[in-house]
Amino acid sequence: DAGTSFHAAAITRTWNQMRAGGRVKRDANGNYPFTIYMDKRDPQAAKFAGLAEIVQRNDSLHVRYSLTPDRDVDLAQLCLTGSFELDVYGGGTVTADGRTVKIPATHGKTHFFDGWHRVVSLADAQGRTRLTFTFDAPTHLMMQDNRAWNGNSTTMRIFLGADKPFKGGRTNTT
């Protein structure tokens, strides 16, 4: 959808965001491998091996992200981050399991949506549903207004795993 992007991220305790990097090329199984390096300058630093499984079925995409750290890593958050341009979504709504919240048209509360949900839809300012996420189980997600940091987007974080620290060798999925 126009004005929308996604990436996997590891967010440190000091709120530095380490984004996934990799090739936009499928592996032999049709999945997209990627890596999150906790410090690209240090080859000995921790890293997460990631895999995005994306399958189109009719008019929807079925997506599963998996992230596995090579050792125990203490983070604030491990998540899939969706960025939605406020030019498109500002003044629209986010609806989750029957609860609807307005996406701010002007900057107000930074974190405006948080909870555990199975179905989440985003509508633009004209009321058109642009995206719907359906999860197999209740999934923790949060939305924030990035204008607090001079951005022009709202971000949805879909959290992967609840272990803290994230255990080496244990796969976290959504």
Side-chain angles (χ1 to χ4, degrees):
D1 190 41
T4 305
S5 64
F6 288 91
H7 65 270
I11 301 173
T12 68
R13 294 272 179 209
T14 57
W15 299 105
N16 291 318
Q17 186 174 138
M18 308 303 165
R19 292 182 174 204
R23 27 186 197 121
V24 183
K25 184 176 178 187
R26 292 180 184 260
D27 65 13
N29 296 317
N31 302 316
Y32 296 93
F34 60 89
T35 305
I36 297 176
Y37 295 93
M38 296 309 298
D39 184 344
K40 288 184 180 182
R41 298 166 300 198
D42 180 359
Q44 302 302 314
K47 63 184 173 213
F48 285 80
L51 190 66
E53 303 170 56
I54 304 171
V55 177
Q56 184 165 355
R57 293 188 190 137
N58 301 319
D59 62 346
S60 65
L61 293 177
H62 294 256
V63 180
R64 177 182 168 165
Y65 273 81
S66 303
L67 288 160
T68 307
D70 66 346
R71 65 192 81 171
D72 289 3
V73 180
D74 189 32
L75 298 172
Q77 299 173 346
L78 182 61
C79 55
L80 174 62
T81 298
S83 180
F84 309 96
E85 295 299 320
L86 287 167
D87 295 342
V88 175
Y89 290 95
T93 58
V94 57
T95 301
D97 300 325
R99 177 179 153 232
T100 299
V101 174
K102 196 86 162 157
I103 298 171
T106 59
H107 187 255
K109 187 175 179 184
T110 300
H111 294 104
F112 62 90
F113 187 84
D114 194 351
W116 290 80
H117 301 286
R118 290 184 67 100
V119 178
V120 179
S121 295
L122 287 120
D124 61 23
Q126 289 73 41
R128 292 184 305 246
T129 299
R130 305 283 294 249
L131 290 168
T132 298
F133 301 88
T134 304
F135 302 100
D136 293 335
T139 299
H140 186 202
L141 59 95
M142 176 273 298
M143 290 190 74
Q144 74 181 23
D145 185 334
N146 293 327
R147 286 176 281 210
W149 301 278
N150 297 317
N152 188 35
S153 65
T154 183
T155 296
M156 176 189 289
R157 290 188 185 153
I158 303 168
F159 298 103
L160 289 91
D163 291 339
K164 293 193 181 162
F166 290 89
K167 299 291 184 190
R170 184 180 299 162
T171 300
N172 302 272
T173 61
T174 190

